[in-house]
Amino acid sequence: MSRMKSVSPTSTPTPISRRRGRFVERDRKAEELLLELSRTTNCAERERLTDEIVRLHLDLCDGVAARYAGRSIPTEDLVQVARLALVVAIKRYQPGPGSSFIGYALPTISGELKRHFRDHGWMVRPPRRLQELGPVLRLAREHWEQEHGTSPTTQDLAEEVGVDPEQVSECLSAEHSYHPLSLDLTFGDDESRSLAESLAEPQDELESAADRVSLGTALSSLSQKDRELLQMRFVDGMTQKEIGLALGVSQMQVSRLVRAVLDRLRTQMGVTVDDDRSATAA
């Protein structure tokens, strides 16, 4: 039988063990610097120590920031937020037996990044209750998928978290506020058409659509006699004189009748206009 090779204590360490050893050495060095920082009152010395501690942990900041990349905020901004949070952690940390700066700094950095997303990450900011419900739903979804092997329905998530299904639907819809669709996004079988090309152009017909709907509602509130009067004046194009002959009234009476009907329409539509009666002129 071939003998198993023995590994001597002086064997070359693996990449993982080398990396772990580097982290241990960094943590030991950081604790020494932090202890020294807590004991000195010299401003220049405090600044030098802080800079050295920051340099030791730049890779930590970049790594935590990378976890939040691709969520509507540039990575460079996230890195900056993470590094500023590191400085805050350095100022607040109290070194001592049993304490760990990494254990203190990581939650501080993550918390600042989450706060930054809450305040600046939304293209359209939803209510605070939906912002706070989002992370809870994501954890619930992960737990459900691990336990059941399927994606949960809205009802499943609502029961898991203990909220109304409508709130879950609202929250899931609000998540799209983080990732707005690009107007250059293509779709279709050949992906030859962009989202921008499918949007309606600002034309007169579209711009006046709301006014037409409002006018239709206002017209329905008029009497049949008033609608017939407007029909003769503005659809059939009859003059006030012709309308007067058809109704058996004077031209002046026709003018007053049309003016009164138009005033009622404006009131119904909530329109404020000048006392311009040119529309009723013959």
Side-chain angles (χ1 to χ4, degrees):
M1 290 179 63
S2 60
R3 293 182 179 178
M4 184 180 295
K5 271 190 175 182
S6 61
V7 180
S8 68
T10 57
S11 298
T12 304
T14 64
I16 294 178
S17 62
R18 283 200 303 270
R19 193 159 56 246
R20 185 180 297 115
R22 188 169 67 251
F23 290 158
V24 170
E25 176 61 24
R26 180 192 64 183
D27 295 346
R28 184 192 62 78
K29 177 66 173 175
E31 291 295 336
E32 291 178 358
L33 293 171
L34 286 160
L35 185 60
E36 188 177 350
L37 178 65
S38 68
R39 292 172 175 172
T40 183
T41 57
N42 182 278
C43 292
E45 182 65 9
R46 290 183 63 84
E47 186 174 344
R48 182 191 68 79
L49 291 169
T50 300
D51 288 345
E52 191 169 348
I53 298 168
V54 167
R55 284 195 295 271
L56 281 174
H57 298 90
L58 288 179
D59 60 335
L60 174 70
C61 295
D62 297 352
V64 177
R67 299 177 192 172
Y68 296 87
R71 301 188 190 180
S72 78
I73 294 181
T75 304
E76 294 80 3
D77 291 353
L78 298 178
V79 169
Q80 184 178 18
V81 171
R83 293 182 178 183
L84 288 174
L86 173 63
V87 175
V88 171
I90 292 171
K91 290 181 178 179
R92 295 177 179 173
Y93 179 68
Q94 297 294 327
S99 58
S100 168
F101 176 68
I102 294 296
Y104 180 81
L106 276 174
T108 302
I109 295 171
S110 296
E112 285 299 319
L113 285 167
K114 291 175 182 177
R115 189 174 296 109
H116 187 75
F117 268 98
R118 185 192 67 196
D119 296 337
H120 305 286
W122 302 91
M123 293 296 291
V124 179
R125 184 176 296 183
R128 176 65 63 85
R129 62 182 175 81
L130 296 183
Q131 296 182 37
E132 294 174 348
L133 181 59
V136 177
L137 287 179
R138 284 192 288 274
L139 288 175
R141 180 189 295 276
E142 292 174 5
H143 179 265
W144 179 280
E145 290 174 347
Q146 291 173 3
E147 186 172 333
H148 298 84
T150 59
S151 296
T153 64
T154 299
Q155 184 65 39
D156 294 332
L157 287 175
E159 293 175 359
E160 188 82 5
V161 177
V163 298
D164 191 273
E166 290 185 5
Q167 277 189 276
V168 175
S169 298
E170 263 190 288
C171 186
L172 296 177
S173 298
E175 287 187 346
H176 296 296
S177 299
Y178 264 136
H179 304 281
L181 295 177
S182 169
L183 292 177
D184 295 327
L185 180 70
T186 57
F187 61 94
D189 295 337
D190 56 354
E191 296 189 345
S192 60
R193 190 181 184 192
S194 69
L195 180 60
E197 293 173 331
S198 69
L199 299 178
E201 296 181 2
Q203 299 173 346
D204 292 339
E205 289 294 318
L206 288 172
E207 292 176 351
S208 62
D211 291 336
R212 293 200 306 274
V213 172
S214 179
L215 177 60
T217 302
L219 285 171
S220 64
S221 68
L222 297 178
S223 66
Q224 181 65 29
K225 182 179 178 181
D226 288 341
R227 288 199 295 270
E228 289 176 354
L229 177 62
L230 294 180
Q231 169 83 21
M232 288 188 286
R233 180 70 183 90
F234 298 105
V235 178
D236 299 337
M238 296 172 63
T239 65
Q240 292 180 2
K241 184 177 181 180
E242 291 171 336
I243 296 173
L245 291 173
L247 298 180
V249 296
S250 68
Q251 182 175 333
M252 184 63 68
Q253 287 177 300
V254 172
S255 177
R256 285 198 296 267
L257 288 171
V258 172
R259 183 182 306 170
V261 174
L262 292 178
D263 284 345
R264 285 200 295 275
L265 284 178
R266 292 181 182 117
T267 301
Q268 287 282 343
M269 296 174 66
V271 177
T272 303
V273 296
D274 296 332
D275 190 20
D276 179 7
R277 309 305 181 184
S278 60
T280 62

